[in-house]
């Protein structure tokens, strides 16, 4: 008997900043490249930092490796798309995913690889 994999609830995408900004909620400075939450088109100044958007436990996984992305989606309970504005295409492009750290740990173990610049491994 086959059981359909439970699909996690669709989460709103988050955005990687191109320019430095500040969190609308807690005023924390956000460097370019910071992942924040906001509603494009509505009011892009109303950004929420990862802490305020409850995304602290999540880790960024850059797209590029289809196998890794697929595994991350399978292992992580929460999967959030990360988009970034492209000056070239004048549109938001998908650059990766936010997934749970434990999902990335599991991929590293199973594929016997090490992801460089892991966020959680930098906090010491
Ligand atoms: Zn904040």
């Amino acid at each position: 008997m086959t059981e359909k994999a439970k699909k996690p609830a669709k989460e709103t995408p988050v955005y990687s900043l191109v320019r430095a900004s500040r969190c609308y909620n807690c005023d924390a400075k956000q460097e370019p490249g910071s992942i924040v939450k906001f509603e494009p088109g509505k009011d892009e100044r109303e950004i929420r930092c990862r802490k305020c958007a409850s995304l602290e436990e999540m880790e960024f996984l850059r797209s590029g490796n289809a196998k890794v992305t697929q595994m991350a989606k399978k292992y992580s309970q929460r999967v959030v798309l990360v988009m970034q504005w492209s000056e070239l295409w004048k549109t938001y492009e998908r650059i990766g995913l936010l997934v749970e750290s434990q999902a990335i740990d599991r991929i590293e173990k199973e594929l016997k690889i090490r992801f460089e610049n892991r966020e959680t491994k930098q906090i010491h």
Side-chain angles (χ1 to χ4, degrees), residues 4-22:
K4 261 193 182 167
K6 243 192 237 162
K7 270 206 169 163
K10 261 243 159 130
E11 305 223 22
T12 21
V14 293
Y15 299 86
S16 172
L17 286 175
V18 180
R19 266 173 240 122
S21 189
R22 277 184 183 281

Side-chain angles (χ1 to χ4, degrees), residues 22-30 47-53:
R22 277 184 183 281
C23 175
Y24 191 75
N25 192 48
C26 72
D27 205 39
K29 188 161 193 264
Q30 302 298 303
I47 66 161
R48 296 276 186 282
C49 69
R50 259 161 95 163
K51 205 170 146 192
C52 295

